[in-house]
Amino acid sequence: MRKNMCRISVLFLAFVIMMESLALAAGARLSSIRFHSGREHDRVVFDLSRLPKYEATLSENGRELTVDLTDVAATGLARANFHGQRIQSVKYRTENGHVLVTLSLKEGMTYKLQTLGNPSRLLVDIVPGKAKSNSSQVNPIRVKPAQNTGVPGLEKTEMAPGLTRFKYSYWDADGKVTAYFVEADNTKYIVKPALARGKVPGRETVSGISDRYQALAAVNASYFALSGEILGVTKVDGMTTGTTYITRSAFGTTAQGKPVFGKIDYDGKVKLGSITQGVSGVDCERGADTLIIYNPAYGSSTLTNEYGMEYVVRGGKVTAINEKGNSTIPRDGCVVSVHGTAASYFAPVRVGDPAVITENMGAQWNNCPNILGVGPRLLTNGQVTVTAAEEEFPSDIRYGRAPRSAVGVTKEGHFLLGVVDGRQAISHGLTLTEWAQLMKKMGAVDAINFDGGGSSELVIGGEIQNSPSDGHERAVGSALIVLNK
């Protein structure tokens, strides 16, 4: 019996050794690729069954890093499409037993490699290196050393003439609060809304939007749907890109760049031939029995289904009628898309009929080319005036402490963009009232709240300043950006 047990043990040991040898012969398995964008670096993590042979090669121009994993199985690997502060995009390919992952890097980046065991991981950190000169850079940031403000926990750094960064960390009875601000001199800079990916619908990180428009600074702005549609009355460069039928607060700028705060409503009407109907929305999904206007900010087509009628409007006339949906949006006009009862009203309309579209947002707003319908209002003439209840904001915005974003204006007329971190050890976040009080402490006399939570993010000179509560950048619908005047 004892001999048989010994024989079984030897056979089992031989089997284990054989299986380990087969596993080694089969190569390592790449189970996942994870990504994180932090304050110090962008990190790509390769999760492996064991460490294989690997090599990293940087292209001659320093803008592409290819990680080559030898004899690695990657069957079923989810090929995530990620980008961050330092990585612009990622590409995958397999070739003769090699898995090659190419990272497209921003200007002036380098990399560091490190490995971990049990579990086996290869870590690739993308960090700022020796930056190459870029004479074509539109908005260079030349940071001066932080200055002593005399206020405990408050750091002040001049990023450019008239552009000042503040970091404020303090403790209250419930823990630590960390907030970041940028103040922009209104005689040197303007602020304006910028759409994610330059259109609606679309979603993009705040750093991506900042890079797209070569902004000096940017903060997340509008509330948005998962599709990227803007939720709130919004205008960008004179074109309406979002609406709502709840009266809420808005921030805008005049053609001269002066700030405007107040309540806003949208009242739109379309007259085709002799028939007039009210507008249900602009640049949003067409629902049942609605009239939606699609303008060039929505992209090249309406993306609608065939269950409606669409009227192409150019030069004050109906130039085409489409019964199949997904009409092409003219660059010098728009498409009026109707469904159900709204479609039945326009049944007599024919090609060539006159078309008149009117949009009324109120006296102080009609001449503002740039508007962000957000809210609630935080400060009015130096007083805390949180209007969340009367503007019917949901409870997840109205109550509790959370990451917050806002824009304010100081008594000198300077713009103040700010975020406070939340839901993490470095900062527990603020209530709307506490956020209003902090904006006032930082010098704002008028201020309005933006979308918050995981969306809250402030970027200066292309670099994320705060720590988004998701642990990475969230793709948002729009941002408020700072540009040279």
Side-chain angles (χ1 to χ4, degrees):
M1 182 71 175
R2 196 171 290 173
K3 287 181 180 180
N4 289 337
M5 291 297 297
C6 289
R7 186 177 299 164
I8 291 171
S9 297
V10 170
L11 289 172
F12 178 76
L13 181 60
F15 175 78
V16 169
I17 293 172
M18 180 184 72
M19 292 305 294
E20 288 182 347
S21 298
L22 288 172
L24 288 172
R29 171 162 177 74
L30 177 59
S31 58
S32 69
I33 297 177
R34 295 179 288 119
F35 172 73
H36 170 72
S37 184
R39 292 290 305 277
E40 304 297 329
H41 54 242
D42 282 5
R43 171 167 286 180
V44 182
V45 181
F46 296 82
D47 291 309
L48 298 142
S49 61
R50 65 177 181 85
L51 287 174
K53 292 182 180 179
Y54 61 88
E55 183 179 7
T57 305
L58 194 63
S59 63
E60 289 186 9
N61 64 3
R63 300 299 295 273
E64 284 195 339
L65 176 68
T66 298
V67 179
D68 181 354
L69 305 176
T70 302
D71 196 19
V72 169
T75 305
L77 175 70
R79 301 189 174 192
N81 183 19
F82 54 79
H83 60 90
Q85 301 178 58
R86 303 160 186 90
I87 297 174
Q88 293 181 315
S89 63
V90 58
K91 295 183 293 186
Y92 302 84
R93 64 188 175 95
T94 57
E95 185 177 287
N96 299 325
H98 293 253
V99 174
L100 298 107
V101 180
T102 300
L103 308 174
S104 178
L105 310 182
K106 294 185 179 179
E107 183 80 26
M109 295 295 115
T110 187
Y111 68 96
K112 297 178 181 178
L113 299 178
Q114 56 179 310
T115 59
L116 298 174
N118 195 28
S120 298
R121 292 173 181 169
L122 173 64
L123 280 57
V124 182
D125 290 343
I126 306 302
V127 297
K130 186 177 181 181
K132 298 179 181 180
S133 63
N134 184 6
S135 58
S136 63
Q137 187 178 0
V138 174
N139 295 320
I141 293 286
R142 296 180 178 86
V143 182
K144 293 185 177 181
Q147 303 173 31
N148 183 8
T149 63
V151 177
L154 181 63
E155 299 176 5
K156 176 182 178 181
T157 307
E158 184 181 348
M159 309 299 290
L163 192 74
T164 307
R165 170 194 184 268
F166 296 91
K167 178 183 177 182
Y168 193 17
S169 296
Y170 62 92
W171 293 81
D172 61 20
D174 296 314
K176 190 176 183 180
V177 177
T178 304
Y180 299 82
F181 304 86
V182 61
E183 183 177 333
D185 186 334
N186 67 313
T187 66
K188 295 180 172 65
Y189 305 100
I190 62 168
V191 296
K192 62 175 293 185
L195 298 175
R197 304 194 181 281
K199 67 184 183 70
V200 179
R203 291 178 62 194
E204 190 174 15
T205 62
V206 178
S207 66
I209 297 173
S210 179
D211 289 348
R212 179 181 298 277
Y213 294 92
Q214 296 183 302
L216 287 158
V219 66
N220 70 291
S222 305
Y223 298 97
F224 59 94
L226 291 177
S227 65
E229 292 176 1
I230 302 298
L231 305 179
V233 181
T234 308
K235 280 173 72 175
V236 180
D237 293 329
M239 185 175 294
T240 302
T241 58
T243 53
T244 182
Y245 285 89
I246 300 175
T247 300
R248 284 187 170 163
S249 296
F251 166 78
T253 52
T254 66
Q256 295 73 37
K258 293 183 178 180
V260 178
F261 293 86
K263 297 289 181 62
I264 193 168
D265 286 302
Y266 176 86
D267 180 21
K269 289 182 172 57
V270 173
K271 184 178 181 181
L272 302 182
S274 61
I275 302 164
T276 301
Q277 288 198 68
V279 177
S280 306
V282 178
D283 288 348
C284 58
E285 184 179 357
R286 187 191 67 201
D289 302 316
T290 58
L291 184 158
I292 306 298
I293 296 175
Y294 294 101
N295 58 39
Y298 200 75
S300 60
S301 65
T302 61
L303 305 176
T304 50
N305 59 34
E306 68 274 20
Y307 304 112
M309 294 285 289
E310 297 192 325
Y311 299 85
V312 180
V313 174
R314 297 176 65 192
K317 292 184 179 181
V318 176
T319 60
I321 300 175
N322 179 14
E323 300 180 14
K324 297 181 180 180
N326 199 25
S327 299
T328 298
I329 302 171
R331 300 305 301 170
D332 57 350
C334 67
V335 174
V336 177
S337 183
V338 288
H339 175 273
T341 56
S344 65
Y345 291 134
F346 279 152
V349 174
R350 297 292 181 265
V351 172
D353 284 352
V356 178
I357 297 174
T358 58
E359 295 181 310
N360 180 26
M361 300 181 187
Q364 73 171 342
W365 299 110
N366 286 337
N367 294 321
C368 287
N370 294 296
I371 300 171
L372 284 167
V374 278
R377 188 76 175 267
L378 298 174
L379 295 171
T380 306
N381 297 324
Q383 301 300 313
V384 173
T385 52
V386 177
T387 56
E390 63 189 83
E391 295 182 32
E392 301 178 36
F393 276 96
S395 59
D396 62 327
I397 295 174
R398 290 172 60 183
Y399 304 116
R401 286 174 165 155
R404 308 279 183 183
S405 301
V407 64
V409 175
T410 69
K411 63 180 180 180
E412 296 84 9
H414 299 169
F415 301 106
L416 184 69
L417 284 59
V419 300
V420 60
D421 281 330
R423 301 171 183 164
Q424 48 195 309
I426 61 167
S427 184
H428 58 56
L430 296 175
T431 66
L432 284 169
T433 299
E434 291 169 339
W435 184 218
Q437 292 167 341
L438 182 55
M439 288 293 291
K440 180 178 179 179
K441 185 172 183 178
M442 295 303 298
V445 292
D446 287 286
I448 190 170
N449 190 62
F450 284 169
D451 187 21
S455 300
S456 287
E457 183 179 333
L458 179 66
V459 172
I460 305 176
E463 293 293 325
I464 300 172
Q465 304 300 302
N466 65 308
S467 298
S469 63
D470 286 351
H472 55 82
E473 290 186 270
R474 177 182 291 181
V476 300
S478 73
L480 183 69
I481 62 174
V482 178
L483 301 171
N484 284 315
K485 203 163 190 176

